[in-house]
């Protein structure tokens, strides 16, 4: 009975004059309404959006450096203990030319990526299992959150006793630090899947795995992504704590360099290492924010350009550089698939300005 | 069942549905019996608490009756919801594709079918739009196309136009009527809007509330195409409304 040849039946129904007339009338009215409903707002040029997203960050950074310099000028501490930003930045710049810097950074990043990857696998598996079972949920749900609130540094004495001063000790703590956040992201994501969408999936015949694949997983993605982002933050913190405490002989790393500079009372070196740690944090955060922004634009949770507009109005974004990277994601990415489909929507050009209706 | 492709599309026999556990048990449906004819446009009408959505869920196979049977005579039921319930992470075309993917239809064929279904709801060329870029009426048409992608012989519609403005709703009535006629699908349409029921239905099943029972069945002998503002529609709507008020009035004390 169901639809087979749409066009031939359509012709048949139009064979009677009356039908044809009302049909055309409905057609025209519907096409008119559709055209009115397609938003006509235009995108701002790319350069303008990029600038709007960038200048608040540059401004905040400049302000921070200025304050730092003012404190140095005030003579609060001798300059060998508290050097100005100029010295620290030039030390950071000159380190970029050394092989040692890149070796240390590479080791640190490899540790971070390994630990994070393992934490993600464990976190996702635990999250999925726990979210599916009420009993497990009651048993370990709050335990996971408790684990998350444990400062990672308190694990190190145990890790050092178990694994000595080795890569494993660092890995152990990094995974323990990051996995609970990932697991919680998955659990909350599954919790907040709208029941209506599950009903929709079931009405379309999705069951078990296919329900997860087509409905639950994508619906939970925003929360999972938040968990991944938080997991990364915990991973990076744990790793830095680990590299300060667990210095594996012969293995240079960013944390080891930092510790080394402290022992030599080389404040400029300490600051150069801290700048390295900060820059890595900012870059990874920007990558997460880009992914998050793209997802939100795709789902209509944010009107394209909104954050750039907000930035242009005065940049009340979160923290100076760390959290403030997000507008760049949505505006510069260019993946926003909203070029008008040119479907007889008279005069409607440009992307979308927000949710219609 | 030997009844496949019979004149009856859905047989509802002595269906009751309770929710909750013994102490706080709520009865949503009480001994509902009803036959839906094949190709019929049936409207389920009732006030809040009449269990019309519950009944629809039973027909769509999303839920099982506590007692009694629901027999869809081997036919497949598709469902359309009030809130278009499109998956926000997919495009319009992607949404229509989901039921096709669930049935393992190959990519090339899927694309072709999506285009055909979009054309049916007069949204040809908008496959790449995302739900939030479409108006409420357009979203409901995508949702309708998605229900048809399930190759449903029975289309269960749960107040699908309830959240739309009057003008869009009138146009979608015309559209739905056209598609119903073209495809020969059996439609079970839940609404609390009496005029909408009279405008669209071959028959109107009036349900009483708490628990839901069949109060009365009206045949709508008005020639199609109908208009929601025609005198005959208004006349029958008045009769049905009077009866509905009687039913609702019993709960006032």
């Amino acid at each position: 009975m169901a639809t087979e040849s749409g066009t031939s039946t359509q012709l048949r129904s139009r064979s009677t004059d009356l039908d044809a007339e009302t049909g055309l009338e409905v057609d025209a009215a519907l096409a008119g309404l559709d055209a009115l409903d397609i938003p006509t707002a235009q995108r701002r040029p790319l350069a303008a959006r990029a600038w709007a997203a960038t200048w608040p960050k540059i401004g905040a950074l400049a302000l921070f450096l200025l304050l730092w310099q003012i404190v140095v000028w005030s003579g609060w501490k001798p300059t060998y203990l508290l050097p100005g930003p100029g010295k620290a930045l030039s030390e950071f710049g000159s380190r970029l030319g050394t092989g040692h810097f890149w070796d240390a950074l590479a080791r640190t990043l490899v540790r971070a990526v390994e630990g994070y990857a393992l934490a993600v696998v464990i976190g996702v598996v635990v999250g999925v299992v726990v979210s599916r079972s009420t009993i497990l949920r009651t048993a370990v749900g709050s335990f996971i959150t408790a684990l998350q609130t444990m400062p990672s540094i308190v694990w190190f004495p145990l890790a050092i006793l178990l694994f000595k001063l080795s890569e494993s000790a660092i890995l152990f703590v990094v995974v323990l630090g990051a996995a609970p956040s990932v697991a919680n992201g998955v659990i909350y994501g599954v919790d907040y899947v709208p029941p209506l969408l599950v009903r929709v999936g079931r009405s379309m015949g999705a069951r078990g795995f296919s329900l997860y694949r087509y409905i639950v997983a994508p619906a939970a993605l925003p929360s999972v992504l938040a968990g991944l982002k938080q997991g990364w933050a915990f991973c990076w913190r744990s790793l830095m704590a680990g590299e300060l405490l667990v210095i594996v002989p012969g293995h240079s790393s960013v944390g080891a360099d930092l510790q080394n500079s402290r022992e030599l009372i080389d404040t400029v070196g300490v600051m150069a290492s801290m700048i390295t740690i900060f820059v890595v944090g900012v870059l990874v955060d920007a990558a997460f924010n880009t992914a998050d922004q793209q997802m939100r634009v795709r789902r209509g949770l944010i009107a394209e350009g909104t954050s750039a507009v907000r930035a242009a109005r005065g940049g009340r974004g979160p923290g100076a550089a760390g959290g403030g990277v997000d507008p760049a994601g949505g505006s510069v990415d260019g993946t926003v698939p909203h070029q008008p489909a040119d479907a007889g929507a008279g005069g409607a050009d440009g992307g979308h300005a927000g949710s219609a209706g | 069942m030997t009844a496949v492709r019979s004149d009856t599309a859905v047989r509802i026999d002595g269906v009751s549905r309770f929710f909750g556990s013994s102490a706080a048990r709520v009865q949503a449906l009480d001994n509902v019996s009803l036959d839906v004819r094949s190709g019929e446009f049936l409207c389920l009408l009732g006030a809040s608490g009449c269990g019309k959505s519950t009944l629809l869920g039973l027909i769509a196979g999303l839920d099982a009756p506590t007692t009694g049977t629901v027999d869809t005579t081997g036919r497949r039921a598709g469902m359309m919801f009030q809130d278009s319930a499109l998956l926000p992470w997919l495009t319009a075309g992607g949404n229509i594709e989901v039921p096709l993917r669930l049935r393992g239809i190959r990519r090339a064929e899927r694309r072709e079918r999506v285009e055909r279904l979009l054309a049916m709801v007069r949204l040809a060329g908008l496959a790449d739009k995302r739900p939030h870029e479409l108006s409420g009426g357009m979203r409901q048409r995508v949702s309708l196309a998605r229900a048809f992608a399930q190759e449903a012989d029975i289309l269960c519609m749960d107040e699908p136009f309830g959240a739309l403005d009057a003008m869009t709703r009138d146009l979608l009535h015309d559209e739905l009527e056209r598609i119903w006629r073209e495809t020969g699908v059996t439609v079970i349409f839940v609404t609390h809007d009496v005029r909408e029921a009279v405008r669209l239905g071959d028959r109107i099943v009036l349900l009483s509330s708490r628990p839901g029972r069949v109060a009365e069945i009206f045949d709508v002998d008005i020639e199609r195409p109908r208009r929601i503002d025609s005198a005959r529609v208004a006349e029958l709507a008045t009769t049905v409304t009077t009866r509905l008020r009687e039913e609702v009035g019993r709960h006032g004390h």
Side-chain angles (χ1 to χ4, degrees):
Chain A
M1 292 278 149
T3 159
E4 253 326 283
S5 51
T7 34
S8 71
T9 38
Q10 197 166 318
L11 288 174
R12 175 158 35 93
S13 81
R14 294 210 175 167
S15 55
T16 53
D17 288 352
L18 187 63
D19 278 8
E21 248 166 61
T22 44
L24 287 177
E25 194 188 302
V26 170
D27 252 7
L30 213 49
L33 266 190
D34 288 353
L36 290 173
D37 277 330
I38 292 180
T40 56
Q42 276 184 313
R43 294 178 74 173
R44 291 197 300 158
L46 184 71
R49 283 181 292 132
W51 174 239
T54 312
W55 76 257
K57 294 192 240 310
I58 296 173
L61 191 61
L63 188 67
F64 170 73
L65 293 177
L66 181 67
L67 288 173
W68 179 0
Q69 187 62 62
I70 287 172
V71 173
V72 173
W73 281 331
S74 76
W76 175 57
K77 293 276 176 186
T79 49
Y80 74 92
L81 283 182
L82 182 65
K87 264 190 172 169
L89 285 171
S90 68
E91 167 69 12
F92 174 70
S94 68
R95 280 189 180 191
L96 291 180
T98 66
H100 173 82
F101 171 83
W102 294 106
D103 285 349
L105 184 62
R107 165 147 352 249
T108 295
L109 288 180
V110 166
R111 284 173 176 171
V113 169
E114 278 177 3
Y116 186 61
L118 195 56
V120 167
V121 171
I122 293 172
V124 167
V125 170
V126 170
V128 168
V129 171
V130 169
S131 68
R132 292 203 60 155
S133 148
T134 329
I135 298 170
L136 268 181
R137 175 96 200 225
T138 323
V140 298
S142 50
F143 182 70
I144 293 175
T145 309
L147 205 58
Q148 193 181 2
T149 56
M150 288 259 287
S152 56
I153 201 156
V154 305
W155 286 102
F156 275 106
L158 179 64
I160 291 169
L161 289 177
L162 288 177
F163 301 104
K164 310 213 165 54
L165 292 179
S166 68
E167 295 290 332
S168 306
I170 296 176
L171 187 68
F172 175 74
V173 177
V174 166
V175 170
L176 269 174
S181 298
V182 178
N184 266 340
V186 172
I187 294 169
Y188 290 126
V190 173
D191 277 359
Y192 282 89
V193 172
L196 177 64
L197 295 186
V198 175
R199 245 170 102 79
V200 168
R202 283 171 27 87
S203 83
M204 292 190 292
R207 298 282 185 277
F209 177 74
S210 63
L211 194 63
Y212 261 76
R213 161 143 163 45
Y214 288 105
I215 307 287
V216 177
L221 186 65
S223 170
V224 173
L225 199 58
L228 288 175
K229 186 176 161 182
Q230 198 187 41
W232 165 260
F234 276 99
C235 163
W236 190 236
R237 286 166 176 224
S238 309
L239 179 60
M240 286 307 119
E243 290 193 341
L244 288 179
L245 285 178
V246 182
I247 293 170
V248 183
H251 287 195
S252 59
S253 67
V254 175
D257 281 358
L258 179 56
Q259 184 70 355
N260 199 29
S261 300
R262 187 193 74 88
E263 279 163 7
L264 299 173
I265 321 180
D266 172 15
T267 321
V268 176
V270 166
M271 285 177 168
S273 290
M274 285 175 70
I275 291 172
T276 312
I277 295 166
F278 175 77
V279 168
V280 172
V282 167
L283 290 179
V284 176
D285 189 61
F288 273 111
N289 280 325
T290 304
D292 184 64
Q293 185 90 357
Q294 279 184 20
M295 179 191 67
R296 287 194 293 157
V297 168
R298 244 182 277 131
R299 295 179 181 209
L301 295 174
I302 189 172
E304 181 193 341
T306 298
S307 51
V309 170
R310 204 189 301 131
R313 272 199 215 115
R316 287 182 303 267
V325 188
D326 55 330
S331 40
V332 186
D333 62 52
T335 59
V336 187
H338 301 324
Q339 298 318 316
D342 193 17
D349 60 342
H352 70 293
S355 65
Chain B
M1 294 259 156
T2 50
V4 175
R5 303 293 161 204
S6 68
D7 287 344
T8 305
V10 185
R11 254 187 225 108
I12 299 163
D13 192 18
V15 163
S16 297
R17 179 73 176 98
F18 292 87
F19 288 105
S21 53
S22 52
R25 218 149 93 121
V26 176
Q27 187 169 21
L29 293 171
D30 178 29
N31 195 23
V32 173
S33 293
L34 180 67
D35 280 1
V36 185
R37 298 170 200 144
S38 177
E40 178 177 34
F41 201 124
L42 184 83
C43 290
L44 295 176
L45 180 72
S48 307
C50 71
K52 47 195 195 286
S53 297
T54 305
L55 187 56
L56 209 58
L58 294 174
I59 297 167
L62 295 176
D63 188 17
T66 311
T67 59
T69 56
V70 176
D71 178 11
T72 51
T73 62
R75 291 167 165 88
R76 197 197 299 266
M79 182 93 176
M80 188 176 155
F81 298 84
Q82 166 170 16
D83 184 26
S84 68
L86 296 176
L87 307 177
W89 52 87
L90 295 174
T91 59
N95 267 281
I96 298 172
E97 239 184 305
V98 171
L100 304 175
R101 284 164 75 178
L102 280 167
R103 290 215 316 285
I105 290 167
R106 273 177 304 110
R107 192 191 180 88
E109 194 186 340
R110 288 204 304 260
R111 195 158 300 165
E112 186 204 325
R113 284 214 209 172
V114 166
E115 269 313 310
R116 212 165 59 202
L117 287 163
L118 276 171
M120 181 181 83
V121 295
R122 300 187 202 271
L123 288 174
L126 296 186
D128 292 334
K129 287 280 175 191
R130 301 205 166 257
H132 67 93
E133 298 173 274
L134 302 172
S135 70
M138 292 158 104
R139 282 202 286 263
Q140 279 304 15
R141 278 139 71 198
V142 174
S143 182
L144 182 62
R146 185 175 66 178
F148 270 99
Q150 301 169 45
E151 297 225 313
D153 313 288
I154 303 162
L155 188 58
C156 297
M157 306 178 82
D158 192 356
E159 303 194 31
F161 307 141
L164 300 178
D165 64 278
M167 188 172 181
T168 305
R169 196 173 58 215
D170 287 352
L171 288 168
L172 290 195
H173 287 159
D174 295 332
E175 278 296 285
L176 176 60
E177 194 171 43
R178 171 182 69 80
I179 292 167
W180 165 66
R181 230 173 0 184
E182 284 174 12
T183 57
V185 69
T186 305
V187 178
I188 304 171
F189 188 102
V190 162
T191 180
H192 57 248
D193 180 339
V194 177
R195 281 198 177 213
E196 181 171 60
V198 178
R199 159 71 185 84
L200 290 170
D202 290 330
R203 284 194 299 159
I204 299 170
V205 176
L206 183 68
L207 295 167
S208 66
S209 296
R210 277 180 213 161
R213 294 190 183 98
V214 175
E216 191 165 346
I217 298 180
F218 297 89
D219 284 306
V220 186
D221 292 319
I222 302 172
E223 196 177 300
R224 294 180 194 267
R226 301 169 190 159
R227 286 182 61 111
I228 201 159
D229 45 12
S230 80
R232 291 200 58 197
V233 169
E235 192 187 344
L236 181 56
T238 309
T239 314
V240 178
T241 303
T242 309
R243 185 74 180 80
L244 180 61
R245 285 189 183 161
E246 259 175 53
E247 283 299 326
V248 174
R250 296 193 298 113
H251 293 271
H253 22 247

